[in-house]
Amino acid sequence: MTDTAAPEHAAAGEHDGPHGYASDKAAYLKRMRRIEGQVRGIARMIDEDVYCIDVLTQVSAVTKALQSVSLALVEDHLGHCVVDAARESDEAGAAKVKEATAAIGRLVRS
């Protein structure tokens, strides 16, 4: 059985080379581990019946940290994945722009 959808999927969701964040992977992982620690801290605060506003303050900090990571990933995606696709063909570039637009839309709606 042949997979006729593979090229479309590759144009819209994947590419052959390294991802845009590859050069900063260690930094992204470090940031995500820090955020993971913050989330565990929030769970501990709830378990210890910490005052609501203090918990909300920490939730806000985690949210801002995740937003910062998200924006950096968008920048890397645009600067690497979208640019590479645009160099490949107008169609591939348009597909990556559409994909990025949808991802940005999900970020701003959350």
Side-chain angles (χ1 to χ4, degrees), residues 5-16 85 88 92 95-96 99:
E8 238 180 284
H9 179 68
E14 298 177 7
H15 62 89
D16 294 330
E88 181 183 317
K96 286 292 183 190
E99 176 187 56

Side-chain angles (χ1 to χ4, degrees), residues 23-59:
S23 64
D24 293 325
K25 186 175 179 177
Y28 278 116
L29 288 171
K30 182 178 179 181
R31 290 170 79 177
M32 293 306 298
R33 286 187 195 104
R34 189 176 314 121
I35 293 167
E36 182 181 19
Q38 287 177 290
V39 171
R40 280 194 305 272
I42 293 168
R44 203 169 26 257
M45 291 172 76
I46 293 169
D47 187 49
E48 296 170 358
D49 297 318
V50 172
Y51 184 57
C52 303
I53 297 302
D54 294 338
V55 174
L56 288 170
T57 298
Q58 292 306 308
V59 169

Side-chain angles (χ1 to χ4, degrees), residues 18-34 68-80:
H19 296 291
Y21 59 81
S23 64
D24 293 325
K25 186 175 179 177
Y28 278 116
L29 288 171
K30 182 178 179 181
R31 290 170 79 177
M32 293 306 298
R33 286 187 195 104
R34 189 176 314 121
S68 176
V69 169
S70 296
L71 287 174
L73 286 169
V74 166
E75 183 177 5
D76 286 343
H77 181 69
L78 293 173
H80 183 269

